[in-house]
Amino acid sequence: MDNRFATAFVIACVLSLISTIYMAASIGTDFWYEYRSPVQENSSDLNKSIWDEFISDEADEKTYNDALFRYNGTVGLWRRCITIPKNMHWYSPPERTESFDVVTKCVSFTLTEQFMEKFVDPGNHNSGIDLLRTYLWRCQFLLPFVSLGLMCFGALIGLCACICRSLYPTIATGILHLLAGLCTLGSVSCYVAGIELLHQKLELPDSVSGEFGWSFCLACVSAPLQFMASALFIWAAHTNRKEYTLMKAYRVA
């Protein structure tokens, strides 16, 4: 194997490993989108009811999004989290101190919630099904796992190529990484579109701001790494095969 192709293969493997780690971390963390709002110190009956509804299994889309807006919420692919006062005083608000203790509470999305229909008016089951938001949500949930699976399968083929001491099978690895990159890019695009459509339905309060979190950024970085790894795998395998064919033809001649 030519040193050029071996170097390209090693670089592609490193890029693939980094993108896999980034993608796995992105899937497993809860910071795809973050809301920033004033800390709610007054643990009144209203606040307690919002918290109780947020952790309830029957919480609908509007209910948990209202809580996310109000309590510095973060959202991942699997979980939603809010930040609330550590000690809840239902009878009166605690006095303001320099260090106000808060705690983060998270609730996982069930598989039923992941595949549940989204409504035109969030929370209103009589407003009709919003097919666009429904399928955007399902795609943003499924595509990252498809991407991760394709990369793992590609790594298995690459390992077989190393055992066989041949670069030609890595063409399949490159194609799988290309498909994985497209899935990651599709997931990111679906998530952005879904968030924008949600905020058109549920406008953020004046004192609340939202931004994409570091989990989302990891997914964004993972996609170009997958594309670069794919290009290197395909180039190394194709060029090495071409040169081998020319050398074989020269020897026959």
Side-chain angles (χ1 to χ4, degrees), residues 29-44:
T29 50
D30 311 318
F31 298 91
W32 278 66
Y33 202 84
E34 303 177 26
Y35 295 100
R36 295 285 179 265
S37 58
V39 176
Q40 301 291 328
E41 300 181 16
N42 183 7
S43 301
S44 63

Side-chain angles (χ1 to χ4, degrees), residues 86-206:
K86 187 174 183 179
N87 298 315
M88 296 186 297
H89 304 271
W90 62 269
Y91 50 87
S92 64
E95 293 183 1
R96 174 73 178 182
T97 59
E98 292 183 0
S99 59
F100 189 73
D101 293 334
V102 294
V103 63
T104 300
K105 290 190 175 183
C106 297
V107 179
S108 298
F109 290 107
T110 64
L111 282 177
T112 302
E113 288 178 317
Q114 295 286 14
F115 293 98
M116 187 178 294
E117 292 85 359
K118 305 296 179 183
F119 298 99
V120 175
D121 182 12
N124 183 0
H125 292 211
N126 297 320
S127 60
I129 297 174
D130 190 332
L131 291 177
L132 178 58
R133 289 202 308 120
T134 297
Y135 285 104
L136 284 175
W137 181 278
R138 293 175 182 177
C139 288
Q140 78 184 28
F141 167 68
L142 291 173
L143 287 178
F145 292 98
V146 175
S147 174
L148 205 56
L150 288 171
M151 284 192 291
C152 292
F153 187 51
L156 190 61
I157 294 177
L159 182 61
C160 294
C162 291
I163 294 174
C164 298
R165 296 184 178 180
S166 172
L167 277 177
Y168 193 65
T170 56
I171 287 183
T173 302
I175 293 173
L176 289 174
H177 275 70
L178 177 61
L179 295 175
L182 292 174
C183 288
T184 303
L185 192 61
S187 176
V188 168
S189 301
C190 288
Y191 194 84
V192 173
I195 286 290
E196 292 299 324
L197 290 173
L198 174 64
H199 290 167
Q200 290 178 11
K201 307 286 184 181
L202 298 175
E203 294 185 2
L204 294 178
D206 294 336

